[in-house]
Amino acid sequence: MSLEIKNLHARVASTGAEILRGLNLTIEKGKVHAIMGPNGSGKSTLSKVLGGHPDYEVTEGEVLLDGVNVLGMAPDERSRAGVFLAFQYPMEIPGVSNANFIRAALQARLPEGEELEATDYYARLYEKMDMLEMDRKFTARSVNEGFSGGEKKRNEILQMLMLEPKYAILDETDSGLDIDALKIVSNGVNAMRSPERGFLVITHYQRLLDYIVPDVVHVLVGGRIEHTGGKELALELEAKGYDWIKDDIAAAASA
Ligand code: ADP
Ligand code: MG
């Protein structure tokens, strides 16, 4: 069982600029894969393409969720099929309370005619909020509206804890978090680690990976995975930067 990305090519729909250029990556259930890479290498584009964001067009390749092609699915279908995306820049949804938003997402997973039990729902919601040390006032507030950067990131993880996806993609969930919040959010993610679930953790900094220890680390450069290693690769990148990988690509191109 895996989320399998094969030779993925994607471009910005409005400009036609190609961002992902033949990306291959397989996230097995039970594993945490991390992606690091320079600014503008296509990390967020990859996460949004996996979520079905309309700004991007896939021109080639496949994405298989436990063998099923998800590229033809609308974003909500992908979500119900088990894909979860925590955005780098979470959107604000004025007028929709946090509690109602998550409740609607869970309700949409139930068969026709079945109603989510409110008491159980709130009990679970509060349990997860306690785990993330989120104040109860966030249930009644509009989704992300006026939240600080760190509160938005925590709120993304709350959604993940409630939806229990098969594959979770976390796009720079560490950015904007202070060290205490980073630990709390990491604990939330680690509590979800299971043989039944795969993670793709995108980060700019090695620090997050001290708390969410990955099984595999990839380097994304120019819309392709250019290097893969174990968790020690994150430390190597922190120390050496990305230039050596770019040099290797340039050397290979001129050879
Ligand atoms: P990363 O997350 O690795 O920093 P992104 O995936 O956000 O990189 O962006 C990769 C490249 O694609 C950047 O040059 C960015 O400007 C461009 N890009 C991404 N999305 C869009 C968009 N919707 N419109 C125009 N350019 C985009
Ligand atoms: Mg990004």
Side-chain angles (χ1 to χ4, degrees), residues 220-233:
L220 179 58
V221 180
R224 256 194 288 247
I225 302 289
E226 293 288 0
H227 199 83
T228 294
K231 59 178 187 284
E232 66 290 341
L233 177 58

Side-chain angles (χ1 to χ4, degrees), residues 47-197:
S47 66
K48 286 186 272 184
V49 166
L50 294 176
H53 198 294
D55 281 0
Y56 305 94
E57 278 171 7
V58 171
T59 53
E60 215 181 314
E62 283 185 313
V63 178
L64 303 174
L65 187 155
D66 300 339
V68 178
N69 182 18
V70 301
L71 290 179
M73 294 183 190
D76 63 308
E77 290 177 87
R78 297 183 196 204
S79 172
R80 280 180 274 127
V83 178
F84 176 83
L85 169 58
F87 289 99
Q88 181 173 3
Y89 302 109
M91 260 153 293
E92 301 190 359
I93 313 178
V96 179
S97 78
N98 229 359
N100 282 341
F101 180 68
I102 297 174
R103 190 172 169 175
L106 286 171
Q107 179 66 49
R109 285 159 165 72
L110 296 179
E112 277 290 320
E114 210 172 297
E115 199 67 35
L116 196 72
E117 218 287 298
T119 318
D120 294 346
Y121 167 68
Y122 278 99
R124 258 192 81 222
L125 182 66
Y126 292 154
E127 177 203 328
K128 305 301 182 193
M129 290 178 80
D130 289 348
M131 186 194 273
L132 295 172
E133 298 182 23
M134 284 175 79
D135 194 285
R136 296 278 157 90
K137 69 173 188 247
F138 286 104
T139 48
R141 284 180 60 180
S142 292
V143 179
N144 292 328
E145 194 182 24
F147 287 25
S148 73
E151 288 165 349
K152 286 181 182 173
K153 294 307 174 88
R154 237 184 258 224
N155 207 32
E156 296 287 283
I157 299 304
L158 176 64
Q159 292 169 17
M160 181 188 78
L161 293 174
M162 291 299 289
L163 295 179
E164 302 184 319
K166 291 183 182 143
Y167 298 97
I169 303 150
L170 311 182
D171 190 2
E172 296 206 23
T173 298
D174 48 336
S175 64
L177 294 182
D178 61 39
I179 192 75
D180 293 329
L182 182 67
K183 285 182 193 166
I184 291 163
V185 160
S186 300
N187 286 341
V189 172
N190 287 329
M192 291 274 286
R193 285 178 84 153
S194 125
E196 298 304 314
R197 185 168 293 125

Side-chain angles (χ1 to χ4, degrees), residues 12 14-15 19 38-46 48 55-56 88:
V12 177
S14 60
T15 65
I19 311 295
N39 278 323
S41 57
K43 302 183 297 297
S44 292
T45 299
L46 171 63
K48 286 186 272 184
D55 281 0
Y56 305 94
Q88 181 173 3

